[in-house]
Amino acid sequence: MTQLRHDAVLIVDFGSQVTQLIGRRLRESGVYCEIHPYDKADAALAAIAPKAVILSGGPASAGEINSPTAPQRVFDLGVPVLGICYGEMTLCAQLGGAVEGGHDREFGRAEIRIERASPLLEGLGVPGDHETVWMSHGDKITAIPPGFDVVATSEGSPYAVIADEARRIYGVQFHPEVMHTPRGARILRNFTHRIAGLTGDWTMASFRAEEVTRIRALVGKGKVICGLSGGVDSSVAAVLIHEAIGDQLTCVFVDTGLLRLNEATQVVTLFRDHYNIPLIHVDAAQEFLGALAGVSDPETKRKTIGKTFIEIFDREAGKIEGAAFLAQGTLYPDVIESVSATGGPSVVIKSHHNVGGLPDHMKLKLVEPLRELFKDEVRKLGVELGLPPAFVGRHPFPGPGLAIRIPGDVTPAAVATLQRADALFLDEIRKAGLYDQIWQAFAVLLPVKTVGVMGDARTYENVLALRAVTSTDGMTADVFEFPWDVLTRAAIRIVNEVRGVNRVVYDVTSKPPGTIEWE
């Protein structure tokens, strides 16, 4: 864990799907925070000495026996505490109130009525005013603990906001972290800045300077290998580490042949010519395509690509004499998920291949300079480091590359067709000024052929699907509603300029929200 130089907030995670959003909102207002599962919160309290604590939501019922609870130390430290949804429920149950489960569910948009003034709701109105929030609870608080007052109510909750102002302990029944609570960020900022007195001094510039110092101290005179995928995460990690230790870093770029059109050339040019970072470029397209020959199952593809990547990376890393460290582009969501799921940090390489893990004989220590950051923060750090905004702002790319965008057999001809079609699609999106409005856009070469007429001849060629999604949190996605003329231009260009495709369809299966392919 990094030695903290900023006031910190501890977020105790009870399993909410949107706990990470609490962290994002705090970081956006310059507040450093860490998320730790409730059963490891005691150790986190000792390690980071937080200036405030937030208890997240979660799927459990606080009215049940053996439901998750916060460490008692949270309430004894004397620092401000905010319970959100389940966090408010367990707060009440632990401090002498009462909670019942199984009835009075309240989900979706709701209106709270401010009943009395509180610094938590400063700037949201005066008693009698209403505020839109997002509810998601099935328990009911039947009594609040001694010392607490009702600050706001809703139609379904007489205790929508409660406060013990003397002890600076607060509870809200709704989720201020989600965008459906329009002024939720203001509530969180009131808690961190007004109530806890935090200054909000955590910036990308300060992170950069502190991380450079930390890397130098950690590595000393040792050599570091970085598995460069060409993606944003590993690229930002590589540039930051190079700033810290210079030519003690060597990047190994395994070119799978499954990247976007001309992407390998762009990566090599950027890192060798612009940044002058020592780089081993391994053109392994034939090895990957050979390993994938006859493989059509998507999970088998992933495992095959991961196994091949490990073998090649291990082979090339072995040529770097004296290497003692492995650099990874691990992000904070990866840390949270791995700790929550396994009880310890992940040991897999965070390359874009989702590979299975390092060979035991490599014995390399990890350097993970981005493990405190969320995806949007990595992009900001990339800009801070001078990486081209167009490079940093690229849409996420899936781990196994184009292989999982080719259902069925992955052949050289199929890869070439998809690369060209995907590039044309993105080109039309950029020309229309829509690229930055979309989280991820890409083409899929379907294992379906149709009869068509092109000119005076019949064709029997592939169907290509186009997909584009929007996202506010990188966790769920909704279909991007294209202007019809942009889709039409993209489809016409693809059919005219890409041999092997005679029909283009637009995929709208992301609505309602669906999951995203990650980089």
Side-chain angles (χ1 to χ4, degrees):
M1 186 173 295
T2 303
Q3 182 65 39
L4 300 182
R5 300 182 183 180
H6 305 275
D7 291 339
V9 173
L10 170 64
I11 300 172
V12 180
D13 184 16
F14 289 101
S16 168
Q17 296 181 57
V18 292
T19 297
Q20 291 186 28
L21 293 184
I22 304 173
R24 289 169 66 93
R25 299 295 173 258
L26 266 58
R27 301 279 187 93
E28 287 167 1
S29 64
V31 174
Y32 179 80
C33 62
E34 292 190 11
I35 301 172
H36 291 268
Y38 71 92
D39 56 349
K40 296 178 174 61
D42 254 325
L45 287 168
I48 70 175
K51 299 296 185 181
V53 177
I54 295 178
L55 310 178
S56 86
S61 171
E64 296 177 353
I65 298 175
N66 298 323
S67 60
T69 60
Q72 183 58 38
R73 286 182 59 205
V74 165
F75 307 111
D76 296 339
L77 283 174
V79 301
V81 178
L82 172 64
I84 294 175
C85 198
Y86 179 85
E88 183 192 29
M89 298 290 186
T90 192
L91 179 156
C92 282
Q94 291 183 240
L95 296 182
V99 179
E100 294 180 1
H103 56 81
D104 293 310
R105 302 197 313 168
E106 192 176 19
F107 293 97
R109 190 168 280 106
E111 295 288 323
I112 62 170
R113 182 182 189 276
I114 300 174
E115 304 293 344
R116 62 184 297 158
S118 169
L120 186 67
L121 302 185
E122 182 72 27
L124 272 68
V126 298
D129 287 347
H130 290 76
E131 184 72 20
T132 300
V133 299
W134 188 261
M135 293 284 188
S136 181
H137 65 94
D139 287 355
K140 178 182 180 181
I141 298 173
T142 56
I144 56 177
F148 279 78
D149 294 305
V150 174
V151 174
T153 60
S154 73
E155 184 176 343
S157 176
Y159 306 112
V161 180
I162 60 174
D164 181 337
E165 302 286 6
R167 297 174 62 188
R168 297 184 297 170
I169 301 178
Y170 302 84
V172 296
Q173 192 60 82
F174 53 89
H175 286 273
E177 69 272 28
V178 302
M179 67 175 184
H180 305 294
T181 300
R183 294 202 284 180
R186 175 65 181 267
I187 296 172
L188 292 172
R189 184 179 177 88
N190 281 341
F191 176 71
T192 56
H193 290 65
R194 181 176 296 276
I195 295 171
L198 305 185
T199 59
D201 64 346
W202 194 80
T203 65
M204 278 300 111
S206 65
F207 174 85
R208 172 186 180 181
E210 291 165 13
E211 196 60 22
V212 164
T213 300
R214 190 191 72 83
I215 292 168
R216 287 172 180 163
L218 174 66
V219 173
K221 297 185 180 299
K223 292 184 178 180
V224 179
I225 305 170
C226 178
L228 187 66
S229 71
V232 173
D233 303 341
S234 63
S235 297
V236 172
V239 173
L240 180 62
I241 294 169
H242 186 254
E243 181 174 288
I245 61 173
D247 289 352
Q248 291 171 246
L249 169 72
T250 299
C251 291
V252 177
F253 173 42
V254 178
D255 180 1
T256 67
L258 302 169
L259 302 178
R260 288 170 282 209
L261 186 67
N262 299 325
E263 191 165 43
T265 300
Q266 294 167 5
V267 171
V268 172
T269 300
L270 179 66
F271 283 86
R272 276 188 180 161
D273 299 346
H274 183 72
Y275 283 102
N276 198 30
I277 296 176
L279 175 68
I280 298 173
H281 176 205
V282 186
D283 184 354
Q286 294 306 313
E287 289 183 68
F288 279 92
L289 288 171
L292 289 168
V295 178
S296 58
D297 177 72
E299 287 307 310
T300 304
K301 284 181 185 178
R302 291 178 185 273
K303 292 177 181 178
T304 301
I305 292 169
K307 180 176 181 294
T308 305
F309 179 86
I310 277 289
E311 291 172 351
I312 296 171
F313 183 86
D314 187 23
R315 183 180 70 209
E316 297 301 323
K319 300 175 184 178
I320 303 173
E321 185 177 351
F325 296 88
L326 171 70
Q328 296 186 175
T330 307
L331 306 190
Y332 202 52
D334 305 309
V335 176
I336 297 166
E337 290 165 8
S338 64
V339 169
S340 297
T342 66
S346 174
V347 295
V348 300
I349 288 181
K350 177 60 171 67
S351 76
H352 74 250
H353 300 286
N354 299 325
V355 296
L358 288 174
D360 292 337
H361 67 82
M362 290 187 74
K363 306 295 184 185
L364 298 176
K365 301 175 184 177
L366 292 179
V367 180
E368 298 174 309
L370 311 181
R371 64 182 286 116
E372 297 175 354
L373 303 184
F374 292 94
K375 186 74 173 186
D376 57 331
E377 294 171 332
V378 173
R379 296 189 191 280
K380 292 176 183 176
L381 177 59
V383 173
E384 172 75 25
L385 289 165
L387 278 160
F391 183 88
V392 174
R394 288 178 309 161
H395 292 174
F397 195 59
L402 297 179
I404 61 167
R405 293 179 181 172
I406 304 175
D409 292 342
V410 181
T411 65
V415 171
T417 296
L418 183 56
Q419 283 178 327
R420 180 63 176 157
D422 189 71
L424 290 177
F425 183 35
L426 295 179
D427 184 52
E428 287 300 322
I429 289 173
R430 288 191 175 95
K431 286 180 177 177
L434 300 175
Y435 190 84
D436 292 336
Q437 297 178 35
I438 299 170
W439 175 268
Q440 186 182 55
F442 56 90
V444 177
L445 188 64
L446 301 178
V448 176
K449 290 189 174 183
T450 62
V451 175
V453 176
M454 299 178 70
D456 297 320
R458 285 187 178 276
T459 61
Y460 184 60
E461 296 179 334
N462 289 94
V463 177
L464 186 91
L466 303 179
R467 188 181 191 220
V469 295
T470 60
S471 178
T472 56
D473 54 22
M475 297 165 66
T476 61
D478 200 358
V479 65
F480 180 75
E481 297 183 3
F482 266 109
W484 188 247
D485 61 322
V486 178
L487 270 183
T488 301
R489 286 197 300 270
I492 290 173
R493 284 192 66 189
I494 290 169
V495 170
N496 285 338
E497 300 179 37
V498 181
R499 290 193 175 275
V501 176
N502 71 352
R503 189 178 302 275
V504 175
V505 298
Y506 185 51
D507 172 21
V508 296
T509 56
S510 314
K511 194 169 187 175
T515 57
I516 295 176
E517 293 182 76
W518 278 99
E519 185 168 13

